[in-house]
Amino acid sequence: MLALLGLCTIALLLAVILTKRMSPLVALIVIPVAAALIGGFGLDTGKFVLTGLQNLAGVVGMFVFAILFFGIVSDAGMLDPIVDRILAAVGTRPTRIVPGTTLLALLIHLDGSGAVTFLITIPAMLPLYDRVGIDRRILACAASMAAGVNFLPWTGPMIRASAALKLPVPEIFSPLVPVQLVGLVFIFAVSYWLGLREERRLALAPGTAAAGIAPGSATIARTLSDAERALRRPGRFWINILLTVAILGTMVFMAEKVPPALMFMLGTALALIINYPQVDAQRQRIDAHAKAAILMASILLAAGVFTGIMQGTGMLKAMAQTAVTFVPPEMGGHIPFALGLVSMPLSMLFDPDSFYFGVLPVVSEVAHQLGVPPVQVAQGALLGQMTTGFPVSPLTPATFLVCGLTGIDLADHQKFTFPFLLAASVVMTFACVVLGVFPL
């Protein structure tokens, strides 16, 4: 009963969001609360919600103050030289801009944090996309692909898989190195194709320029309004750079000791003091970015309601236990391959903790009893479950961060990006078979 209720809850949630019958904020609150009440949990629903909100408190704090921080240093002009360098490197050609976006996101995501990747890549590239006229969905897609094809040893899914199955990380990761290289080749090919498609849409040809740009110009000359110039603080560029590096460096190397939310809180305060020491100016900068911060916080807290209820009621656990009972014994040898094919879509149904600590151990045990090594099960799962799947999953805050930063609707992002992320996962799954990581 719980498994069926959970399945119906998630199916209804995805349906109303994808068809735009409800906004994500409304759907993430109303649907799980109604499901909990229908399931007979009554007033315990409030406890589940509170637990979900508490679990997300640090994430909400980090995202809110990250938006404020990057908004303030952007107002001060910190990103101007960076964007200008990128513009000079990629020019006005979408076939260079989109792969350049993928490369930038890939380099930033070496720290394993999808949130940091999107917080840096999207604000840096968005002015270029808007100036050339490239579809913002492509920016979201390129950044998502780069962050998705990444299961480095220090990423969350890899660590969870290792802990859940009690396997050494190198044993899981080392055979996947060539597979990841195949995935990287694929996403850069897709990025180039998306750029080529945009060139054709914008009626671009070799040697020409986008509309509104002088023919023959190699780069885009950005123009600032009087209001934007008044906010710029070019003399404090290096101070802002050092502040940003200190915050991101602390997040990467000292995340276990210093909460990321605290770092962005301190960063926001210091950025205001350094660039806008007057109280009125500080208030204006906060007001300027408050709308985006509040919108992000409300979405994340609504997601906390959803995950809190799904976990607290036991619906996710019941779904996991029911799902594995449908695997016929004679299909045991195909479990890793099958898991690789469905692992990315499973990101739409299970949050990472529920899957890796709830579903994966059961699947691994079933496979082990049928003669399949647990490491192959872990590798199949990592090809998509909250790796390629996390940037479009409604169960991860990073998905809403992508949508918020690019200003596109969640449904539009999912519809556009989902096929490419699924294709990357499938390509890597077949690469595992070809390279002998696990059998067909």
Side-chain angles (χ1 to χ4, degrees):
M1 178 61 185
L2 272 180
L4 178 61
L5 181 61
L7 181 61
C8 292
T9 301
I10 293 177
L12 181 59
L13 176 74
L14 294 176
V16 298
I17 290 178
L18 291 174
T19 59
K20 300 183 181 181
R21 299 294 180 87
M22 289 185 183
S23 68
L25 176 66
V26 174
L28 286 167
I29 296 173
V30 172
I31 292 177
V33 169
L37 295 177
I38 292 172
F41 293 95
L43 296 179
D44 286 338
T45 301
K47 298 178 182 178
F48 304 148
V49 170
L50 183 59
T51 300
L53 296 178
Q54 290 173 339
N55 291 337
L56 275 182
V59 176
V60 173
M62 185 192 75
F63 281 162
V64 168
F65 281 92
I67 290 172
L68 292 176
F69 173 77
F70 283 107
I72 292 165
V73 294
S74 296
D75 290 341
M78 187 193 75
L79 293 177
D80 288 354
I82 299 173
V83 173
D84 290 340
R85 291 288 182 90
I86 295 173
L87 292 177
V90 301
T92 63
R93 297 290 300 273
T95 47
R96 295 179 182 178
I97 294 172
V98 182
T101 303
T102 303
L103 178 60
L104 177 61
L106 183 65
L107 293 175
I108 296 172
H109 198 247
L110 289 176
D111 70 347
S113 173
V116 172
T117 301
F118 301 139
L119 283 168
I120 296 177
T121 303
I122 294 175
M125 297 300 293
L126 187 58
L128 174 57
Y129 275 70
D130 288 345
R131 184 71 177 89
V132 177
I134 302 175
D135 191 339
R136 287 187 175 195
R137 294 178 302 173
I138 293 178
L139 171 56
C141 180
S144 297
M145 288 193 299
V149 183
N150 185 357
F151 32 81
L152 294 171
W154 51 85
T155 54
M158 179 67 73
I159 294 173
R160 288 183 177 92
S162 173
L165 301 185
K166 298 179 176 58
L167 296 171
V169 169
E171 184 178 345
I172 304 174
F173 174 71
S174 297
L176 292 178
V177 172
V179 176
Q180 188 170 28
L181 293 177
V182 172
L184 293 177
V185 171
F186 174 80
I187 65 170
F188 275 105
V190 171
S191 297
Y192 179 83
W193 178 78
L194 288 172
L196 183 63
R197 192 175 71 173
E198 280 298 278
E199 282 195 4
R200 293 169 178 169
R201 184 181 70 83
L202 297 169
L204 288 176
T208 66
I213 303 172
S217 63
T219 61
I220 300 174
R222 296 189 306 121
T223 57
L224 300 177
S225 66
D226 292 339
E228 289 173 331
R229 281 195 294 270
L231 293 173
R232 293 303 190 260
R233 301 291 187 269
R236 293 158 198 172
F237 170 77
W238 286 110
I239 298 178
N240 288 323
I241 285 289
L242 291 174
L243 178 61
T244 303
V245 170
I247 292 173
L248 298 182
T250 303
M251 289 181 61
V252 173
F253 298 108
M254 299 181 64
E256 296 181 358
K257 297 181 179 179
V258 183
L262 175 59
M263 290 308 303
F264 274 115
M265 286 179 176
L266 291 173
T268 300
L270 291 174
L272 287 170
I273 294 172
I274 292 169
N275 297 287
Y276 309 101
Q278 297 83 12
V279 175
D280 288 340
Q282 293 177 359
R283 185 182 299 111
Q284 290 173 4
R285 290 305 87 219
I286 294 174
D287 289 344
H289 303 288
K291 180 180 179 181
I294 292 174
L295 176 62
M296 182 58 61
S298 63
I299 290 293
L300 294 178
L301 291 174
V305 174
F306 175 68
T307 56
I309 289 177
M310 295 299 291
Q311 291 175 344
T313 58
M315 284 190 278
L316 284 178
K317 183 177 181 181
M319 291 171 63
Q321 294 174 342
T322 301
V324 297
T325 62
F326 292 98
V327 180
E330 63 273 12
M331 297 296 292
H334 304 292
I335 287 178
F337 177 75
L339 187 58
L341 294 179
V342 302
S343 59
M344 186 271 168
L346 287 177
S347 299
M348 308 294 284
L349 299 177
F350 300 103
D351 66 281
D353 289 331
S354 296
F355 180 85
Y356 284 102
F357 295 115
V359 179
L360 191 61
V362 183
V363 175
S364 177
E365 180 60 28
V366 172
H368 180 65
Q369 293 178 7
L370 297 173
V372 179
V375 66
Q376 294 183 356
V377 177
Q379 291 163 338
L382 286 166
L383 296 176
Q385 216 291 326
M386 287 302 171
T387 46
T388 57
F390 92 89
V392 292
S393 172
L395 300 174
T396 57
T399 300
F400 301 101
L401 184 63
V402 172
C403 296
L405 291 172
T406 55
I408 61 177
D409 189 80
L410 173 62
D412 292 335
H413 170 54
Q414 290 177 322
K415 289 178 181 178
F416 186 90
T417 305
F418 185 95
F420 298 111
L421 292 175
L422 176 60
S425 180
V426 171
V427 166
M428 289 190 294
T429 300
F430 278 96
C432 281
V433 175
V434 173
L435 296 171
V437 177
F438 51 66
L440 180 64

